[in-house]
Amino acid sequence: MNSWPDDDVILYDGVCIFCSRWIRFVATRDTARRFRFTAIQSAYGTRLAQAFGIDPNDPDTNAVVHGGIAWFKSDGALTVLGALPGWGWVRVLFWVPKLVRNAVYNLVARNRYRIFGKYEECFIPDADMRARVME
C-alpha cells in the first residue's frame, strides 16, 4: 500500500462507461461529499497512477486513496462502498479471500470495454460533480 498527500481521491478510467457510472454511483450516494474524483487521463490522474505503478495508457485497476493509504482493485471498491451511508454492510466482503475477490474484479476489468462500451473522450461530469473533480 502506498501513500499520497491528498485523501479520499478515486482514480478511474474516464473513457470507460462502467467506470464513469461507478463514479456517478458514488457521487450520488456520498452525501457528505467526502470523495473527489480524477480520471486517469487527466494530468493529476496520470501522476497519481504513475506514483502507484498503474499504466495510464492501459489501466487494470481503479484506486482510491482513503485514510492516507492507496487501495486497489476489490479492496478499493469495497473501501469506497463501505464508506458510503447505508453501504457499510459490504465490509463483510473483505472476509472473502482477496484472491477470489480480485479474480472477479480482474474479469470485469479486462472485459469492461467489450461489455459496457467506451467513450470517445473522457466522461464530462455535471456542474455539481465537476466541483469534486481533480484535474
Side-chain angles (χ1 to χ4, degrees):
M1 289 178 249
N2 301 310
S3 64
W4 186 256
D6 296 319
D7 206 22
D8 291 327
V9 177
I10 300 172
L11 175 70
Y12 70 100
D13 181 353
V15 297
C16 168
I17 292 174
F18 177 76
C19 306
S20 296
R21 286 183 183 157
W22 160 246
I23 293 305
R24 285 193 295 255
F25 176 90
V26 172
T28 300
R29 286 153 184 82
D30 181 17
T31 55
R33 300 175 60 87
R34 146 188 249 160
F35 289 104
R36 294 170 293 159
F37 315 100
T38 186
I40 201 165
Q41 291 82 4
S42 72
Y44 180 89
T46 297
R47 284 195 317 276
L48 180 62
Q50 289 171 335
F52 296 142
I54 300 169
D55 181 354
N57 298 312
D58 188 23
D60 65 346
T61 181
N62 73 331
V64 60
V65 180
H66 179 70
I69 298 170
W71 303 91
F72 305 98
K73 300 192 179 203
S74 64
D75 285 344
L78 292 176
T79 296
V80 170
L81 283 173
L84 296 176
W87 286 82
W89 62 268
V90 302
R91 291 184 195 115
V92 302
L93 296 176
F94 278 113
W95 293 346
V96 175
K98 191 176 192 171
L99 186 67
V100 173
R101 288 187 283 118
N102 281 345
V104 172
Y105 183 96
N106 291 337
L107 181 65
V108 173
R110 254 192 326 274
N111 296 293
R112 69 190 184 278
Y113 295 145
R114 189 165 22 115
I115 296 169
F116 301 101
K118 184 176 178 180
Y119 294 121
E120 290 300 315
E121 295 180 6
C122 233
F123 156 71
I124 307 293
D126 63 24
D128 183 51
M129 206 172 129
R130 201 169 297 128
R132 298 169 65 186
V133 171
M134 301 179 76
E135 299 186 90

